[in-house]
Amino acid sequence: MGLLSMIYADIERSTKVPPFCSCFLRQEREDPTKRHLIDQCRCGEEHCDVYEWTWDAKIPHPDSYISDAHVVFHPVYSQGTAMVRGNRALAMGMCHYWEIKMMSPVSGTDMQVGVGTDQVNLYSHQYSFGSTIGLDEHSWGYSYRGVVLHRGRSFFFGKKYTQGSIVGVLLNLRRGTMDLYINRVPQGQAFHDLPTDGSVKLYPMICSTAAKSQMKLLNAVSFRENLQYHAMKVIYRQPQLLAELQTYPSFQAIVKRFWFLRQDDRKYNTDREDRISKRQQQPEILENAVLLKNLGEGSSKAATGEPLQSH
């Protein structure tokens, strides 16, 4: 194996986020042939039973099967890209947060999470494989390969998600920004150019090219970016204050609505210690490897003019 191949392999291992829980790994050890049948996993769903929207089953697609919050792409075999959107447009001027669990092995040309307007053609790649969310100016996508896409251009974002990962999307449609989470750990701001015009209809979207791939919507909440929201961000950083607040019945609904702000709780961040230990063990090696990878990608993309962004 050459030096460059070894560096790429190290980057692959260091940037791929493990599953949120051990259910998927345990099932694979017990019977690898049943990796697609792990829908009994309920880890990470204890505090998020609010669904203000779900997937739109009224829009027929021959390569996807929708059962409430659960979507199965290409149930038999794959001959292209299947895309599904939410059944309700996201209200402008509001903040929206939702999470999607990867219920099957993540593979193929692409599997994506993101948003798009009603101008997106859900059948554009029915018979071809592609990264359809972010293909044009009407959609913004996050690929399992660790890149974000918009206007047909891909940008290196960082973490790659896998089977068992929980991908979170925080959309601020007052500011026009999108922040991403993996396993409830903030990954940073991916986009800052989303529409805020009330005439635009924006929908959550997912797509997949992989046969028998599955995704599950865990929750979907919306709220205003007001004093209550910013106050809860502060309160969630103070465990004693949060515990006291939860003793008042009138505040329990508020606490439950903003449960996802508890990003520093070990209960919700199963890979936090692992990420910190890796960073402490070999920070310099990892930084050099990422730098070399970016330089390699930059030279190969120079001919096409594709931008590269890392953080």
Side-chain angles (χ1 to χ4, degrees):
M1 180 183 291
L3 176 61
L4 194 59
S5 298
M6 293 175 64
I7 291 173
Y8 283 175
D10 288 339
I11 293 172
E12 174 73 18
R13 286 191 294 268
S14 64
T15 61
K16 196 170 186 179
V17 177
F20 179 81
C21 62
S22 61
C23 294
F24 298 85
L25 299 176
R26 183 171 60 250
Q27 177 66 51
E28 185 174 359
R29 285 195 301 268
E30 293 174 355
D31 188 351
T33 64
K34 294 184 178 181
R35 288 183 298 168
H36 293 282
L37 305 176
I38 317 180
D39 56 353
Q40 70 269 23
C41 173
R42 296 294 180 267
C43 299
E45 303 178 29
E46 301 87 353
H47 302 274
C48 45
D49 57 355
V50 180
Y51 295 89
E52 296 189 357
W53 55 265
T54 186
W55 305 116
D56 197 343
K58 295 181 180 179
I59 300 179
H61 198 295
D63 293 324
S64 63
Y65 172 75
I66 300 175
S67 177
D68 296 326
H70 204 119
V71 179
V72 179
F73 295 99
H74 314 288
V76 181
Y77 66 91
S78 176
Q79 58 183 350
T81 309
M83 193 183 324
V84 171
R85 79 178 192 187
N87 64 349
R88 182 183 303 176
L90 302 170
M92 291 296 173
M94 299 281 288
C95 293
H96 306 270
Y97 181 80
W98 65 94
E99 289 182 326
I100 297 170
K101 183 189 289 187
M102 300 294 141
M103 303 299 294
S104 66
V106 178
S107 60
T109 301
D110 214 346
M111 294 175 66
Q112 292 178 278
V113 172
V115 296
T117 71
D118 56 353
Q119 300 299 310
V120 174
N121 182 359
L122 301 179
Y123 312 102
S124 61
H125 281 61
Q126 183 177 344
Y127 300 108
S128 61
F129 301 96
S131 303
T132 53
I133 304 178
L135 189 63
D136 54 26
E137 69 273 19
H138 303 297
S139 57
W140 296 256
Y142 180 29
S143 166
Y144 82 93
R145 295 178 287 110
V147 300
V148 292
L149 302 94
H150 180 53
R151 295 181 178 270
R153 305 163 74 186
S154 60
F155 301 84
F156 177 72
F157 188 70
K159 293 291 185 180
K160 303 177 182 180
Y161 49 89
T162 184
Q163 182 184 24
S165 297
I166 296 178
V167 180
V169 181
L170 176 59
L171 209 63
N172 188 325
L173 293 184
R174 188 177 75 86
R175 302 175 184 266
T177 60
M178 178 192 289
D179 289 73
L180 297 170
Y181 297 73
I182 299 183
N183 293 344
R184 297 179 180 155
V185 178
Q187 303 299 306
Q189 187 178 107
F191 300 106
H192 60 271
D193 59 348
L194 278 86
T196 57
D197 186 348
S199 64
V200 177
K201 292 184 177 181
L202 194 67
Y203 295 87
M205 293 183 175
I206 52 177
C207 74
S208 175
T209 63
K212 301 179 181 179
S213 52
Q214 303 180 28
M215 301 185 196
K216 182 180 181 181
L217 179 68
L218 299 188
N219 55 81
V221 299
S222 62
F223 52 91
R224 294 192 179 277
E225 187 186 14
N226 53 20
L227 180 60
Q228 183 183 88
Y229 167 64
H230 289 287
M232 290 304 299
K233 289 177 67 174
V234 175
I235 291 172
Y236 266 113
R237 298 191 189 104
Q238 307 293 328
Q240 293 182 346
L241 182 59
L242 177 63
E244 182 178 351
L245 187 64
Q246 289 178 306
T247 61
Y248 298 95
S250 58
F251 286 100
Q252 290 180 0
I254 300 175
V255 171
K256 186 174 183 179
R257 190 168 195 80
F258 293 108
W259 62 268
F260 60 87
L261 293 174
R262 183 186 271 175
Q263 300 300 340
D264 292 329
D265 194 325
R266 293 182 182 180
K267 181 177 181 179
Y268 298 100
N269 294 313
T270 55
D271 72 331
R272 179 180 176 86
E273 293 183 4
D274 181 59
R275 290 185 301 112
I276 293 176
S277 63
K278 284 183 177 179
R279 194 178 304 156
Q280 291 173 342
Q281 288 173 7
Q282 47 181 3
E284 186 175 348
I285 295 176
L286 180 58
E287 288 176 6
N288 291 338
V290 172
L291 177 60
L292 287 172
K293 180 176 185 293
N294 290 345
L295 290 175
E297 288 186 353
S299 61
S300 64
K301 295 177 180 178
T304 61
E306 183 179 353
L308 183 65
Q309 174 180 311
S310 64
H311 8 174

